[in-house]
Amino acid sequence: MITLRRVKPVAELTAPPETDELFHEIKQTFRITGVPLNFRIYAGQGRFLQRLWDAARPNVETRAFEEGADRLREEIVSAADGMPRLCALAKAQLGESQAHQAQSALALYLYMNPKLLLFESALALALEREGRAREW
């Protein structure tokens, strides 16, 4: 099991220049507009984010990584399709604009979370193989 020290995430707006550059690369590579919390926490772990990104970036930039995330996304949608429909949207009585914003947020999570799951799973396996899962 991987455990992290309690570290305050590095805010995007106040990140030092070196970290800001890494954040920019992460956003470009993952094709998103904000830095996910896991990377902001890693940025608070000294040079861990830099070393991690240097090692992981070549893999994250591959077509295989995108295809792996696509397969995870398909599995997620397939599993959810077999579940009963939620009725929270009707109960929330959202206006048209609010409903659109909620759907956009869900679409973002559906796009991003499989990538993060694949990334974090690869990281966990790498740390376990190195016997370093408990060191940081």
Side-chain angles (χ1 to χ4, degrees), residues 14 22 28-30 39-40 43 67 70 72 75 77 92 101-102 117 122 125 134:
T14 59
L22 284 172
Q28 292 294 312
T29 304
F30 279 93
F39 292 110
R40 293 188 297 115
E67 289 171 354
D70 288 344
L72 282 171
E75 295 268 339
V77 169
Q101 289 175 355
L117 176 60
L125 287 172
R134 297 177 199 271

Side-chain angles (χ1 to χ4, degrees), residues 7-24:
V7 174
K8 184 176 179 184
V10 174
E12 285 185 69
L13 296 176
T14 59
E18 188 175 287
T19 303
D20 187 53
E21 185 177 320
L22 284 172
F23 284 174
H24 177 74

Side-chain angles (χ1 to χ4, degrees), residues 96-116:
E96 186 177 327
S97 176
Q98 292 171 319
H100 175 74
Q101 289 175 355
Q103 288 175 326
S104 295
L106 291 172
L108 172 64
Y109 290 128
L110 182 60
Y111 173 76
M112 190 61 207
N113 284 346
K115 289 183 175 195
L116 291 176

Side-chain angles (χ1 to χ4, degrees), residues 25-74:
E25 290 177 14
I26 290 165
K27 290 188 291 188
Q28 292 294 312
T29 304
F30 279 93
R31 292 191 284 284
I32 53 175
T33 58
V35 179
L37 180 60
N38 60 323
F39 292 110
R40 293 188 297 115
I41 290 173
Y42 298 152
Q45 301 278 337
R47 302 230 356 112
F48 180 72
L49 180 60
Q50 179 70 59
R51 292 192 311 263
L52 170 63
W53 190 243
D54 288 345
R57 184 178 184 178
N59 292 318
V60 174
E61 292 178 327
T62 65
R63 184 71 194 145
F65 182 86
E66 290 293 330
E67 289 171 354
D70 288 344
R71 285 193 300 274
L72 282 171
R73 200 172 292 110
E74 289 170 8

Side-chain angles (χ1 to χ4, degrees), residues 115-133:
K115 289 183 175 195
L116 291 176
L117 176 60
L118 186 57
F119 183 89
E120 293 297 319
S121 296
L123 173 59
L125 287 172
L127 289 172
E128 286 174 12
R129 284 189 199 128
E130 292 290 320
R132 298 182 182 183

